Every structure is written in structure tokens, then in C-alpha cells.
Amino acid sequence: MARSLSFLVALSLLVCAPLCFCRNTNGGGYLYPQFYDHSCPKALEIVNSIVAKAVAKEARIAASLLRLHFHDCFVQGCDASILLDSSGKITSEKRSNPNINSARGFELIDEIKSAIEKECPNTVSCADIMALAARDSTVLTGGPSWVVPLGRRDSRGASLSGSNNNIPAPNNTFQTILTKFKRQGLDIVDLVALSGSHTIGNSRCTSFRQRLYNQSGNGQPDVTLHPSYAAQLRSRCPRSGGDQNLFFLDFVSPTKFDSSYFKNLLASKGLLSSDQILVTSSAQSKQLVQQYAENVELFFQQFAKSMIKMGNISPLTGSRGDIRKHCRKINQN
């Protein structure tokens, strides 16, 4: 929002030139930005228009769409498996611990898919819609842009166990989270940069209550949490009850994509344990936090690169997978 259009264009060119090709990790084909140029030239415009209206109506949805893409890609690749409802042999990933009562934005993806189907039926995948919506959500809240490689196809199944096991949890140790990233071909730089998405959005009381009252199993709060901030959080996150009470992940500028998230971590005011450990558990990650706190341009550049890298996790391409007509269910052949 606060970024000039010329800067966004320049940054997107820096991150991924218009003719870039991304080879997927399974060797199944390439993703490239011009994938729909002829088959559905208005696809990107439709996604952007609908996301823009939604973000203008409710700023929180931007973070939800960004998170949806992340939670999809970490489970059997960026294949829109997270969108599938339970039916027949499919047990929905929406039931997993990381997603239940928290993953949202499904209705908006449905709206985008419906609009695109009217424009060009059976052409644009739900997985690509999510990748584009994540990029647009970032830009609309003031963050960087990037050219999104396209050509993903949609899965014919979901993985509840994969969702429970692969997605980092708020109370995971630093090493556990880093291991989960490395399994997806991502490194510590990607981990810190992508954690910066917590510069927007909310988290529930149940996700960080342990930090306030019993972090180490001894009935004591987390010593890495600033006392005044802890007291503020306890006022609305009691020992019991209030599980769904929402808190800003970045209390300084909760709806603006900027670097204040990293500044909060350096002040011991990260909301989640998985946020604060970026400073307390690794000298390398702490150094990255300091760099991004001081240099928002550096953070934006790396965030865009890491989002392209994440969006390239094991996509289905070519004849693998489907183009779902409805994102919530597999096609009936």
C-alpha cells in the first residue's frame, strides 16, 4: 500500500524475471508465469479484483489467504489438497490440528474459482488460484510483489496425517521447525523470511496460552516473553476459557505488511513461541531477524524469493492431477 508501483514492479523483476521457469522438485515439469496467457488471459486480473474487494472489506483475510497457501504447500506439495472437504475416501486436511477452527478463506477461493470458471472453464487450477491470492494479499497489505510461476494442477486426494505432521506448530522447538522446512527443500533463510508473514494476521489464545502460564511444565511463564507484554496478553487469555480469543501477531502494525514483526522479536514481544525462538534459539536466525528489522527492503526481497521457492514444492504438472471444477471436491469422471 505504502509502496510505489514502480518499486513493486522493479522488485518483482529482481525476484523473478517475466520469462523465468521454475523446475519443480519432482522433475514433473515446469511452472512459468505465462501459463495462462492464451488459455485464460484474464485469470490474474480476476483473482486480484476479488481478493482486493475482500481485503478492503476485512483486512484479516489477507493473512488467511497467505496462511492457506503455506498450509497447502507443506502437505504433499502445492496441490490444493487443503481445500478438499471430507467425502468418500477423503478425510479433509481441514480437520487437522493446525487447521481446525483456524484455517479460513475457503469461501473466497470458491468465489474466485466460480468467476474464473465462467470466464474459462476447466482451465485454471485451485492450486494456482491460491498461489496468486497469496501474492495479491501480500501486495494489498503493503508488502512486496513477485511474478508467480504457474501451471500447478490439483490433487485427487488429501493427507490428514501429513497436515498434522508437516506443518510447524506454535510450540515446536526451533530445530523441529527447521527440520520441517528442510524436508520441503527450504532453509533457515526461508524459515525466518517466511515467518515474517506474521507481520499481519491473528492468532488464537489457545496457540500461546502455555507461554503465559506453564511454558516449561513448571507453572511459570516463558522467561523470553517481556513481562509487560505477558501481562497484557493474560488480560484476555486466561488460564482456562477464551480459547478462540484473537490477538494480533504484530501488535504494532497488525494490518500492514512491514518489518515491525522482527522489531517485536528483538524486544521480546513475539506472540508465539515459534516466533520468539527465532531470536533465542539460533545465532544465525537471530542475525537474520536483526537484518530484516533494520532493512525492510532486504526482508521484502527475501520474502518474495522464499514465497516463489515455497510455491514450487512438489507441484503436480502436465498430466498429473486434475483441474478441479469445484475446489472442495475431486472431479467426477
Side-chain angles (χ1 to χ4, degrees):
M1 290 177 179
R3 320 294 302 168
S4 69
L5 180 59
S6 61
F7 172 75
L8 292 179
V9 172
L11 183 56
S12 67
L13 292 175
L14 173 66
V15 172
C16 186
L19 293 175
C20 75
F21 290 78
C22 292
R23 180 76 176 179
N24 81 48
T25 53
N26 281 352
Y30 289 94
L31 303 180
Y32 56 99
Q34 302 80 16
F35 191 83
Y36 298 112
D37 279 6
H38 300 292
S39 61
C40 193
K42 292 186 178 180
L44 277 67
E45 178 186 333
I46 292 171
V47 175
N48 182 265
S49 175
I50 295 175
V51 172
K53 290 177 183 176
V55 172
K57 184 177 180 180
E58 183 204 24
R60 181 187 173 201
I61 196 66
S64 299
L65 292 173
L66 197 53
R67 184 171 183 256
L68 207 57
H69 183 43
F70 172 75
H71 280 210
D72 179 53
C73 290
F74 266 58
V75 183
Q76 65 185 34
C78 307
D79 61 1
S81 61
I82 193 174
L83 301 179
L84 289 170
D85 289 336
S86 294
S87 64
K89 297 180 180 179
I90 296 174
T91 302
S92 178
E93 293 169 18
K94 298 173 185 178
R95 296 184 178 183
S96 71
N97 291 329
N99 294 328
I100 193 166
N101 296 323
S102 65
R104 58 196 300 274
F106 301 109
E107 294 79 9
L108 186 57
I109 298 296
D110 291 339
E111 181 183 347
I112 297 169
K113 179 63 172 174
S114 178
I116 288 182
E117 283 296 308
K118 290 178 182 177
E119 177 69 23
C120 35
N122 308 312
T123 303
V124 181
S125 69
C126 302
D128 277 345
I129 288 173
M130 282 201 292
L132 290 166
R135 188 272 309 275
D136 292 346
S137 293
T138 302
V139 175
L140 287 162
T141 48
S145 184
W146 59 92
V147 179
V148 180
L150 300 166
R152 302 167 189 80
R153 289 168 67 86
D154 301 322
S155 70
R156 299 186 180 110
S159 176
L160 180 65
S161 61
S163 186
N164 277 321
N165 296 328
N166 296 354
I167 297 172
N171 60 346
N172 280 163
T173 65
F174 177 82
Q175 194 55 52
T176 296
I177 295 174
L178 182 58
T179 297
K180 289 181 177 181
F181 268 71
K182 287 183 175 179
R183 284 180 192 152
Q184 307 299 340
L186 303 174
D187 58 26
I188 191 169
V189 177
D190 300 312
L191 166 57
V192 178
L194 292 174
S195 294
S197 64
H198 286 180
T199 183
I200 56 174
N202 301 265
S203 185
R204 298 173 298 155
C205 166
T206 186
S207 297
F208 61 87
R209 175 184 283 120
Q210 180 178 338
R211 293 193 74 201
L212 303 180
Y213 303 101
N214 190 29
Q215 176 68 3
S216 302
N218 58 0
Q220 298 299 313
D222 189 344
V223 295
T224 68
L225 184 62
H226 194 286
S228 66
Y229 185 46
Q232 179 184 342
L233 296 174
R234 281 193 292 267
S235 68
R236 290 188 50 244
C237 185
R239 285 181 181 273
S240 61
D243 285 7
Q244 305 305 315
N245 289 350
L246 293 175
F247 295 76
F248 293 128
L249 286 160
D250 169 10
F251 67 92
V252 175
S253 51
T255 60
K256 180 175 173 55
F257 202 101
D258 57 21
S259 61
S260 59
Y261 162 81
F262 296 108
K263 296 175 183 177
N264 294 341
L265 299 187
L266 295 174
S268 299
K269 294 182 179 180
L271 182 64
L272 305 178
S273 174
S274 54
D275 293 323
Q276 199 60 52
I277 58 176
L278 296 181
V279 168
T280 60
S281 298
S282 163
Q284 186 178 357
S285 66
K286 181 178 181 180
Q287 182 179 26
L288 289 165
V289 168
Q290 291 171 328
Q291 290 174 349
Y292 297 154
E294 296 169 0
N295 188 340
V296 69
E297 308 296 339
L298 179 64
F299 164 47
F300 278 13
Q301 181 180 338
Q302 184 57 54
F303 183 81
K305 288 180 179 178
S306 294
M307 284 297 293
I308 291 173
K309 191 174 176 183
M310 186 190 78
N312 197 43
I313 297 174
S314 304
L316 299 173
T317 57
S319 60
R320 300 165 63 227
D322 288 323
I323 303 297
R324 285 190 220 134
K325 187 170 182 61
H326 302 284
C327 292
R328 293 174 180 264
K329 58 185 181 182
I330 60 174
N331 296 339
Q332 299 301 316
N333 297 324

